[in-house]
């Protein structure tokens, strides 16, 4: 990782050099503050006041220059408008071509201005983090909140780029008018989403979206997938060649995601009946359902490592493993073997290629559509979760062919085996293995990345108060960009779980605990639903399937609500803590204590808990995608793998809890499994409160 000061110097436009924030000067000032406080010549309050004033001055310089440049661009657009009107009255092909090129020139200059704003925003963010890390003080929170919320805020100009939208709109509208649209009376306002737009306009929109860092529904879903990418990567620096991108391969990747989620949940409504038909207790359904998760704990690691070399071969192996696993699951009925049933589910878990699915999107999809692909990954998972139980509810038939039995217990296995067979054929015909770089190309890319990548690092270490007695870090331990770590070390991916764990800050560990908690609570609700509802309410398999399908169908609407509205009104950490409390309330009201247990109590409390957990999952993964170390965005032991392992372990423990709770009897199963959920939820709430100020 190259030093940001050097990176800023290389990226600066020579004529604008005096208007960038003086990052080098501010970094020296931070060092001077440390020496002054250490020597007792400066009071911490004076340091905060002086540093605030210096930041205000730097931001004011940058903002006023940005507004000046916006005015110049607006003036050029006004002049072009007069020429535009004259050309429309007397059309001339040569003048139209010249006018369109003039608009593109304005667009290119606007693009340079957006890069200028982005570099200054990154520099500001980095110097605030450097100050906080040096002194152990949450100054960044204070500074951003007090400046951003003020009616005369100049900081808003940096982070929200007020006024740029009008310039973008003028360029886009006029270029659209000058296109060959004979006989068309529509403008861009009549067609908000144009099928083809000028490349300059597309580049500007991409830069604006990146700079905005908004919480739209699409962006929210993309972060939900926890597919991490470099913080400073721009479309012009995207290392993925558009010509090698293969849309059908992306569809196959998403198809694998969808089918795997269907495969996971299609057996839930009938697992207890299947277990009893093989002579086991109904609560053994926990082991049957959880055995797939047990195997996934190990398969996620080797699939993540395998994806370093290939994507096609892991997907082929996944399809074959799932085909064989489902066959074993279906044949266990006629073999009257609970062991074969469990082996089938284990084999299915060994085919879990979700690590490959995430990695393919991260490495093989161009930056321009990576957000849409990430959102598609989450949507495919949610749709599979809903379709699995719904499909099980439709398979309520029974017949025999020769010695093979087809009923509600075995049909999920047969149907999924056929589905994976068709998928395997489609995969072999249509999937295109992305081209891998040679060693020379990889070295060239690595050298190029050293000068273009400046991903922010997550703060680590124990915070110390800003006092003279705080024991400020000595110079050899300072967070200096040039000496903190070598370029090779700063970009080297984690090589083991231990290495990855050491890169996690306390707040990230808390977020992984929250992820474990919500996955545990959701798995308890889903996996024991057939046993609980049949015991208390006498529900049939169809009723359980409808209930689970309805729960699954809430996923996308809830994400729309949170991504488009709630996350724009509240901070992520506020939503996080509120959702945890609602999950706690849902679990609490699910207990069967003093009054007869009723269907409304079970359905409403389960729905409240599930919906709150879905909101919590989206916000939690959104936070993780922003604060996790950049070293966890690449390699085998990446951030996606860590979150997958945390969620999978939660499912394993939850399913084991159900089976162990069965030894207490079905009348005590509900309370016995809800109690650990309640304890873990309380622990996560306490942990969140302790690290609340460090969550962004």
């Amino acid at each position: 990782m190259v030093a940001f000061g050097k990176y800023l110097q290389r990226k600066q436009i020579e004529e604008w050099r005096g208007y960038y924030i003086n990052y080098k000067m501010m970094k020296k000032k931070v060092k001077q503050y440390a020496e002054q406080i250490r020597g007792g010549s400066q009071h911490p309050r004076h340091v905060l006041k002086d540093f605030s004033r210096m930041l205000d001055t730097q931001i004011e310089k940058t903002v006023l220059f940005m507004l000046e440049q916006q005015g110049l661009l607006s003036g050029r657009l006004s002049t072009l408008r007069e020429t535009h009107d004259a050309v429309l009255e007397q059309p001339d092909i040569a003048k139209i071509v010249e006018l369109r090129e003039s608009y593109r020139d304005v667009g290119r200059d606007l693009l340079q201005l957006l890069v200028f704003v982005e570099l200054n925003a990154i520099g500001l963010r980095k110097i605030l983090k450097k100050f906080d890390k040096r002194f152990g003080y949450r100054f960044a929170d204070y500074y951003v909140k007090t400046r951003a919320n003020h009616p005369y805020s100049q900081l808003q100009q940096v982070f929200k780029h007020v006024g740029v939208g009008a310039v973008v709109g003028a360029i886009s509208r006029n270029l659209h008018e000058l296109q060959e649209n004979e006989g068309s009376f529509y403008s861009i306002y009549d067609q908000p989403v144009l099928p083809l737009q000028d490349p300059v306009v597309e580049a500007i929109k991409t830069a604006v979206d990146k700079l905005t860092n908004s919480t739209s529904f699409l962006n929210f879903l993309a972060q939900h997938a926890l597919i991490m990418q470099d913080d400073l990567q721009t479309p012009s620096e995207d290392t993925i060649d558009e010509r090698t991108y293969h849309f059908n391969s992306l569809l196959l990747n998403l198809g694998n995601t969808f089918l795997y989620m269907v495969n996971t949940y299609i057996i839930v409504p009938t697992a207890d009946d299947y277990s009893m038909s093989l002579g086991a207790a109904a609560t053994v359904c926990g082991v049957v359902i959880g055995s797939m998760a047990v195997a996934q704990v190990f398969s996620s690691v080797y699939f993540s490592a395998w994806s370093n070399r290939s994507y096609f071969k892991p997907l082929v192996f996944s399809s074959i493993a799932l085909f064989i696993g489902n066959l074993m699951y279906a044949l266990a009925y006629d073999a009257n073997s609970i062991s074969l049933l469990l082996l089938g589910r284990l084999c299915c878990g060994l085919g879990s290629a979700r690590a490959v699915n995430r990695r393919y999107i991260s490495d093989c999809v161009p930056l321009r559509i990576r957000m849409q692909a990430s959102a598609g990954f989450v949507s495919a998972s949610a749709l599979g979760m809903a379709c699995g139980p719904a499909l099980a509810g439709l398979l309520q038939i029974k017949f025999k062919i020769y010695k093979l039995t087809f009923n509600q217990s075995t049909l999920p296995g047969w149907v999924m085996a056929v589905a994976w067979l068709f998928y395997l054929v489609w995969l072999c015909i249509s999937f295109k293995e992305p081209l891998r770089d040679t060693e020379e190309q990889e070295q060239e890319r690595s050298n190029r990345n050293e000068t273009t990548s400046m991903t922010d690092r997550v703060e680590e270490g124990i915070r110390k108060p800003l006092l003279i007695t705080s024991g400020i870090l000595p110079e050899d331990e300072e967070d200096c960009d040039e000496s903190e770590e070598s370029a090779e070390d700063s970009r080297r991916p984690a090589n083991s779980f231990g290495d990855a764990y050491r890169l996690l800050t306390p707040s990230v560990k808390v977020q992984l605990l929250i992820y474990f908690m919500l996955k545990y609570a959701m798995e308890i609700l889903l996996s024991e639903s057939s046993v609980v509802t049949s015991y208390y309410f006498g529900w049939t398999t169809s009723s359980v399937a409808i209930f689970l399908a309805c729960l699954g169908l809430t996923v996308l609407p809830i994400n729309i609500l949170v991504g488009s509205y709630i996350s724009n009104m509240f901070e992520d950490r506020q939503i996080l803590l509120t959702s945890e409390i609602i999950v706690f309330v849902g679990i609490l009201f699910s207990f069967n204590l003093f009054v007869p247990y009723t269907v409304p109590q079970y359905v409403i409390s389960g729905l409240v808990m599930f919906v709150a957990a879905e909101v919590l999952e989206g916000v939690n993964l959104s936070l993780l995608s922003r604060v996790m170390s950049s070293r966890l965005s690449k390699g085998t032991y990446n951030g996606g793998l860590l979150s997958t392992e945390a969620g999978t372990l939660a499912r394993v423990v939850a399913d084991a809890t159900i089976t162990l709770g069965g030894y207490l009897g079905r009348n005590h199963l509900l309370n016995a499994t809800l109690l650990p959920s309640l304890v873990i939820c309380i622990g996560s709430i306490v942990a969140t409160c302790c690290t609340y100020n460090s969550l962004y």
Side-chain angles (χ1 to χ4, degrees):
M1 180 179 290
V2 69
F4 179 73
K6 296 179 180 178
Y7 175 86
L8 183 60
Q9 286 181 344
R10 278 195 291 269
K11 286 289 185 179
Q12 284 179 356
I13 299 173
E14 186 62 35
E15 296 80 6
W16 296 357
R17 190 170 293 277
Y19 300 100
Y20 291 88
I21 65 168
N22 196 334
Y23 180 81
K24 188 175 181 180
M25 180 270 293
M26 288 192 291
K27 192 172 69 173
K28 288 182 178 178
K29 288 290 290 184
V30 171
K31 184 178 179 180
Q32 289 176 8
Y33 292 146
E35 293 173 350
Q36 290 169 357
I37 293 178
R38 189 182 298 112
S41 61
Q42 188 72 276
H43 192 277
R45 290 187 180 275
H46 294 157
V47 168
L48 293 177
K49 182 179 179 180
D50 190 53
F51 188 59
S52 299
R53 186 193 61 78
M54 181 177 64
L55 285 175
D56 291 339
T57 302
Q58 292 292 318
I59 292 172
E60 182 179 88
K61 174 185 68 175
T62 299
V63 167
L64 292 178
F65 177 75
M66 183 184 72
L67 293 175
E68 178 186 347
Q69 292 300 310
Q70 285 185 14
L72 293 175
L73 293 175
S74 300
R76 289 167 60 185
L77 288 172
S78 297
T79 303
L80 290 175
R81 180 73 253 178
E82 297 174 2
T83 308
H84 191 158
D85 292 338
V87 168
L88 290 180
E89 290 179 4
Q90 297 181 346
D92 186 304
I93 297 298
K95 289 183 178 180
I96 289 176
V97 171
E98 181 181 350
L99 186 58
R100 288 174 65 181
E101 193 57 37
S102 297
Y103 277 119
R104 290 193 183 103
D105 287 339
V106 176
R108 294 185 188 100
D109 290 342
L110 176 60
L111 200 55
Q112 282 190 328
L113 184 61
L114 290 173
V115 173
F116 168 84
V117 176
E118 183 181 16
L119 285 173
N120 284 288
I122 293 170
L124 176 62
R125 198 164 63 237
K126 289 183 73 66
I127 200 67
L128 285 169
K129 289 182 70 176
K130 187 179 292 293
F131 186 90
D132 278 0
K133 188 169 184 178
R134 177 69 72 95
F135 299 105
Y137 185 73
R138 300 300 303 176
F139 176 76
D141 279 355
Y142 161 78
Y143 186 83
V144 172
K145 285 180 181 178
T146 54
R147 268 61 177 177
N149 295 327
H150 196 277
Y152 304 130
S153 170
Q154 292 178 327
L155 192 62
Q156 287 285 0
Q157 295 281 350
V158 178
F159 287 110
K160 298 297 183 183
H161 48 275
V162 179
V164 171
V167 180
V168 176
I171 296 171
S172 178
R173 184 179 67 82
N174 286 295
L175 281 174
H176 179 66
E177 280 187 1
L178 293 173
Q179 288 178 353
E180 296 180 1
N181 289 314
E182 297 182 3
S184 174
F185 298 94
Y186 293 107
S187 71
I188 62 171
Y189 306 111
D190 301 309
Q191 305 176 81
V193 180
L194 300 174
L196 294 173
Q197 295 199 49
D198 194 277
V200 173
V201 176
E202 288 285 357
I204 293 172
K205 286 185 175 180
T206 301
V208 169
D209 289 341
K210 187 174 187 299
L211 185 58
T212 302
N213 192 26
S214 63
T215 53
S216 65
F217 168 55
L218 194 61
N219 188 44
F220 184 80
L221 281 183
Q223 291 173 327
H224 197 154
L226 198 64
I227 295 170
M228 302 171 66
Q229 61 187 42
D230 213 341
D231 205 28
L232 285 186
Q233 195 178 32
T234 63
S236 61
E237 297 168 339
D238 191 7
T239 55
I240 300 171
D241 191 345
E242 291 269 2
R243 293 170 296 179
T244 62
Y245 160 64
H246 194 235
F247 179 70
N248 284 341
S249 298
L250 176 60
L251 285 182
L252 283 161
N253 187 66
L254 297 179
N256 183 279
T257 300
F258 169 75
L259 284 179
Y260 185 80
M261 292 302 291
V262 173
N263 211 143
T264 300
Y265 289 100
I266 194 173
I267 73 156
V268 173
T270 58
D272 57 336
D273 289 339
Y274 204 167
S275 300
M276 289 190 292
S277 67
L278 298 179
T283 52
V284 174
C285 68
V287 174
V288 175
I289 297 170
S291 56
M292 192 170 178
V294 171
Q296 188 179 344
V297 171
F298 303 99
S299 66
S300 296
V301 179
Y302 66 72
F303 270 116
S304 183
W306 203 348
S307 63
N308 292 326
R309 299 184 299 275
S310 174
Y311 297 100
F312 175 68
K313 292 177 181 178
L315 290 177
V316 169
F317 177 82
S318 169
S319 305
I320 294 174
L322 283 154
F323 171 73
I324 295 173
N326 281 290
L327 276 183
M328 295 169 68
Y329 183 86
L331 292 171
Y333 186 88
D334 292 305
N336 194 30
S337 172
I338 190 71
S339 300
L340 186 60
L341 182 73
L342 295 174
L343 284 174
R345 289 295 287 178
L346 283 170
C347 191
C348 288
L350 293 175
S352 171
R354 288 177 69 80
V356 178
N357 302 147
R358 280 193 175 101
R359 186 74 177 274
Y360 182 87
I361 294 173
S362 175
D363 293 354
C364 303
V365 176
L367 185 64
R368 177 178 56 85
I369 60 169
R370 194 172 302 160
M371 184 186 295
Q372 292 91 325
S374 302
F377 174 83
V378 176
S379 300
S381 299
L383 188 60
M385 183 179 179
C387 287
L391 187 58
L394 297 175
L395 301 176
Q396 301 300 301
I397 53 178
K398 183 176 181 179
F399 60 93
K400 292 193 71 168
I401 299 179
Y402 298 107
K403 295 182 180 181
L404 299 178
T405 303
F406 297 84
N407 56 25
Q408 65 175 15
S409 297
T410 62
L411 276 171
W414 291 116
V415 169
M416 292 311 303
V418 173
W420 283 111
L421 184 61
F422 276 106
Y423 174 82
L424 180 60
V425 174
W426 182 28
L427 182 71
C428 294
I429 294 174
S430 301
F431 192 86
K432 183 179 179 182
E433 180 75 81
L435 295 176
R436 296 278 173 171
D437 290 337
T438 62
E439 291 185 8
E440 293 78 6
Q441 290 172 324
E442 190 66 35
Q443 182 62 37
E444 181 183 351
R445 176 183 294 185
S446 177
N447 293 337
R448 184 169 65 249
N449 282 344
E450 287 182 4
T451 63
T452 59
S453 176
M454 282 303 307
T455 307
D456 290 334
R457 293 186 293 275
V458 179
E459 302 174 26
E460 297 187 44
I462 302 174
R463 298 198 172 278
K464 303 176 180 63
L466 181 59
L467 298 171
I468 298 177
T469 59
S470 61
I472 296 173
L473 298 177
E475 291 184 16
D476 59 339
E477 293 179 15
E478 292 173 356
D479 182 30
C480 297
D481 292 66
E482 292 86 352
S483 61
E484 181 182 5
E485 53 185 354
S486 67
E488 181 181 355
D489 288 341
S490 65
R491 293 196 58 80
R492 178 175 54 84
N495 294 321
S496 66
F497 278 117
D499 195 6
Y501 183 81
R502 285 188 289 273
L503 293 173
L504 303 180
T505 61
S507 60
V508 174
K509 293 174 184 176
V510 169
Q511 287 172 265
L512 289 175
L513 171 64
I514 294 171
Y515 193 61
F516 179 91
M517 179 274 293
L518 68 91
K519 284 296 183 183
Y520 182 92
M522 291 171 68
E523 187 72 9
I524 289 290
L525 173 66
L526 298 175
S527 295
E528 72 176 11
S529 58
S530 58
V531 180
V532 170
T533 55
S534 63
Y535 176 77
Y536 285 104
F537 319 126
W539 280 11
T540 62
T541 300
S542 297
S543 301
V544 178
I546 292 172
F547 172 68
L548 295 178
C550 290
L551 288 180
L553 289 173
T554 63
V555 174
L556 285 180
I558 290 301
N559 278 311
I560 292 174
L561 179 65
V562 175
S564 299
Y565 301 102
I566 296 178
S567 59
N568 291 324
M569 296 185 289
F570 303 98
E571 294 181 7
D572 281 353
R573 58 182 178 178
Q574 293 174 325
I575 303 173
L576 190 80
L577 184 57
T578 303
S579 300
E580 285 183 271
I581 295 172
I582 296 175
V583 169
F584 170 79
V585 172
I587 294 173
L588 194 62
F589 279 92
S590 296
F591 278 89
N592 177 26
L593 296 175
F594 309 112
V595 295
Y597 207 51
T598 62
V599 172
Q601 179 186 352
Y602 177 77
V603 172
I604 294 174
S605 60
L607 185 63
V608 167
M609 182 181 72
F610 187 84
V611 168
E614 276 298 324
V615 173
L616 184 60
E617 180 177 8
V619 175
N620 190 52
L621 291 182
S622 174
L623 281 168
L624 272 174
S625 69
R626 296 202 297 269
V627 302
M628 208 173 256
S629 170
S630 61
R631 289 178 59 186
L632 294 175
S633 64
K634 297 288 183 180
T636 300
Y637 301 93
N638 53 62
L641 177 64
L642 291 181
S643 65
T644 299
E645 292 291 86
T648 304
L649 283 172
R651 291 172 52 205
V652 171
V653 175
D655 291 323
T657 304
I658 294 172
T659 301
L660 293 175
Y663 287 103
L664 300 176
R666 295 178 70 178
N667 57 325
H668 296 297
L669 175 66
L670 181 66
N671 291 344
T673 52
L674 287 176
L675 186 59
S677 300
L678 192 69
V679 172
I680 298 173
C681 186
I682 293 173
S684 71
I685 292 174
V686 172
T688 301
C689 292
C690 292
T691 58
Y692 186 77
N693 289 330
S694 63
L695 298 174
Y696 289 93

